[in-house]
């Protein structure tokens, strides 16, 4: 989990900024995946839920691309393997 405190100015090194972005994306990826799994296995899906599912799938695919950019390949591969184990692929 990440926390931010309100300050007047913040200085973050570029590498640390990338790590923060990756951390936020990982948590959002898991959240979106949970939403997808909930809708995917729903027996009678409503039209607006089908739209939500399609949008969430598109967002998750975009997050995969961003994660591959912000993470070292070995860490990205490890994260995606964990997500596959949880059914979030």
């Amino acid at each position: 989990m990440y926390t931010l405190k309100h300050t007047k100015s913040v200085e973050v090194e570029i590498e640390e900024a990338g790590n923060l972005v990756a951390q936020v994306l990982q948590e959002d990826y898991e959240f979106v995946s949970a939403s997808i799994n909930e809708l995917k296995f729903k027996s009678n899906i409503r039209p607006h839920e089908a739209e939500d599912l399609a949008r969430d799938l598109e967002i998750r695919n975009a997050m995969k691309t961003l994660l591959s950019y912000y993470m070292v390949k070995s860490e990205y591969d490890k994260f995606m393997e964990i997500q596959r184990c949880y059914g979030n692929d």
Side-chain angles (χ1 to χ4, degrees):
M1 185 59 142
Y2 52 90
T3 58
L4 298 175
K5 294 181 181 180
H6 180 0
T7 60
K8 290 186 178 185
S9 65
V10 175
E11 186 174 316
V12 179
E13 292 185 25
I14 291 177
E15 185 175 317
E16 183 62 25
N19 291 338
L20 290 171
V21 170
Q23 185 178 358
V24 170
L25 283 170
Q26 287 175 15
E27 291 181 16
D28 287 349
Y29 184 92
E30 291 171 345
F31 178 79
V32 169
S33 292
S35 176
I36 289 169
N37 287 335
E38 183 180 316
L39 290 172
K40 213 166 37 172
F41 297 110
K42 197 169 182 180
S43 60
N44 53 351
I45 193 166
R46 297 183 176 129
H48 72 277
E49 293 171 325
E51 290 175 15
D52 290 346
L53 177 60
R55 183 195 47 160
D56 286 348
L57 286 166
E58 188 176 328
I59 289 169
R60 186 172 68 180
N61 285 335
M63 285 179 169
K64 283 182 185 179
T65 301
L66 289 170
L67 282 167
S68 70
Y69 176 77
Y70 282 105
M71 295 176 78
V72 176
K73 181 166 177 18
S74 62
E75 290 298 316
Y76 172 80
D77 291 343
K78 182 178 172 183
F79 177 75
M80 295 316 292
E81 182 59 32
I82 291 168
Q83 295 308 306
R84 279 188 282 281
C85 290
Y86 287 124
N88 296 338
D89 56 343

